[in-house]
Amino acid sequence: MYSIEKLLLENRAWAAEKTADDPEYFERLAHLQSPEFLWIGCSDSRVPANEITGTQPGEIFVHRNIANMVIHTDVNLLSVLEFAVVHLKVKHVIVCGHYGCGGIKASMSNHDYKQVLNMWLRNIKDVYRLYREELNAIKYENKRVDRLTELNVKEQVFNLAKTSIIQRAWKKDERPDLHGWVYGLKDGLIKPVCEMNAGTHIDPLYEYDDL
Ligand SMILES: [Zn+2]
């Protein structure tokens, strides 16, 4: 059987199983979406948000891109963020990176990945530049990649805090809290690396004073 057909077959089996367990399951989900969490993760196929957190459909609103980046000109990310924060009123936003991230590794090379990928990876190089001294002092390359993964998550959490979307919600509703996590492909465990509770003050350069 072709693999694409298998997906559709598996889908039918899954839907039948869900309905057998709980006949109202789809009816209920179709009418209500009130997730508490927004997940900004890497597109890597080995890091599925629901599965690794033991959550069900309806519990996490998800955005994924290469190396879980929060880029202020990314209309896709910003639309997801605004919808989740302003309309769904999520209480937590999680940026989750992962060790062994291909995007992070690629950003540390000098290879030409051609225009669009070069453009994306440059944002990770900018993170490296901020922490160059610390990173260059790490002897082993894999350890350096792991550390950049953690630092990148931290910077993306800061990038969230710099948006007027987050700052306005902090001022109005005292939510959401921001969390930076890194997932381990080798042991399946999530390591929290940073946290910013609602209302945390950031570099005044980035704080709006007339929200
Ligand atoms: Zn990745």
Side-chain angles (χ1 to χ4, degrees):
M1 189 190 305
Y2 294 113
S3 56
I4 195 79
E5 287 164 1
K6 189 166 178 286
L7 291 186
L8 293 171
L9 209 63
E10 288 290 350
N11 163 257
R12 269 178 225 122
W14 173 79
E17 199 180 309
K18 282 282 177 196
T19 313
D21 282 354
D22 175 2
E24 314 279 294
Y25 183 78
F26 291 108
E27 188 65 23
R28 222 173 34 243
L29 271 184
H31 286 108
L32 183 71
Q33 182 185 220
S34 55
E36 254 184 72
F37 311 96
L38 165 62
W39 177 277
I40 299 169
C42 182
S43 298
D44 192 299
S45 63
R46 298 163 295 179
V47 196
N50 282 125
E51 207 161 331
I52 66 173
T53 56
T55 48
Q56 297 296 319
E59 292 190 77
I60 304 190
F61 199 65
V62 174
H63 177 83
R64 290 167 69 176
N65 61 42
I66 293 174
N68 40 271
M69 302 300 287
V70 176
I71 296 170
H72 290 129
T73 50
D74 179 355
V75 177
N76 187 355
L77 176 277
L78 292 174
S79 309
V80 169
L81 181 66
E82 183 166 298
F83 185 70
V85 171
V86 177
H87 299 280
L88 296 173
K89 302 189 185 306
V90 294
K91 297 192 180 92
H92 304 271
V93 181
I94 300 153
V95 176
C96 188
H98 65 101
Y99 296 119
C101 181
I104 299 285
K105 273 187 213 156
S107 80
M108 290 169 72
S109 85
N110 293 95
H111 180 68
D112 171 15
Y113 286 93
K114 302 294 176 292
Q115 185 52 41
V116 179
L117 281 174
N118 287 345
M119 204 163 82
W120 193 258
L121 296 174
R122 211 201 66 192
N123 294 286
I124 313 172
K125 286 180 183 282
D126 289 343
V127 175
Y128 194 106
R129 180 167 45 82
L130 283 176
Y131 297 93
R132 194 199 304 254
E133 215 174 309
E134 178 189 340
L135 289 163
N136 283 353
I138 301 171
K139 196 172 150 197
Y140 297 105
E141 202 204 337
N142 57 344
K143 295 266 180 236
R144 208 155 59 233
V145 176
D146 285 356
R147 186 60 186 146
L148 179 57
T149 303
E150 293 170 355
L151 294 169
N152 182 53
V153 158
K154 205 166 119 186
E155 281 302 314
Q156 303 321 309
V157 167
F158 287 154
N159 283 345
L160 284 173
K162 289 175 194 165
T163 65
S164 55
I165 298 169
I166 291 293
Q167 288 184 28
R168 199 175 290 116
W170 279 1
K171 194 176 170 189
K172 239 181 86 200
D173 292 338
E174 289 174 39
R175 65 162 182 89
D177 294 331
L178 312 179
H179 311 265
W181 293 353
V182 179
Y183 173 76
L185 293 176
K186 287 181 185 161
D187 57 12
L189 296 175
I190 291 169
K191 175 179 166 187
V193 293
C194 68
E195 200 168 82
M196 280 179 99
N197 290 326
T200 302
H201 282 285
I202 57 169
D203 185 333
L205 195 63
Y206 298 103
E207 277 192 353
Y208 297 99
D209 63 4
D210 56 353
L211 289 168

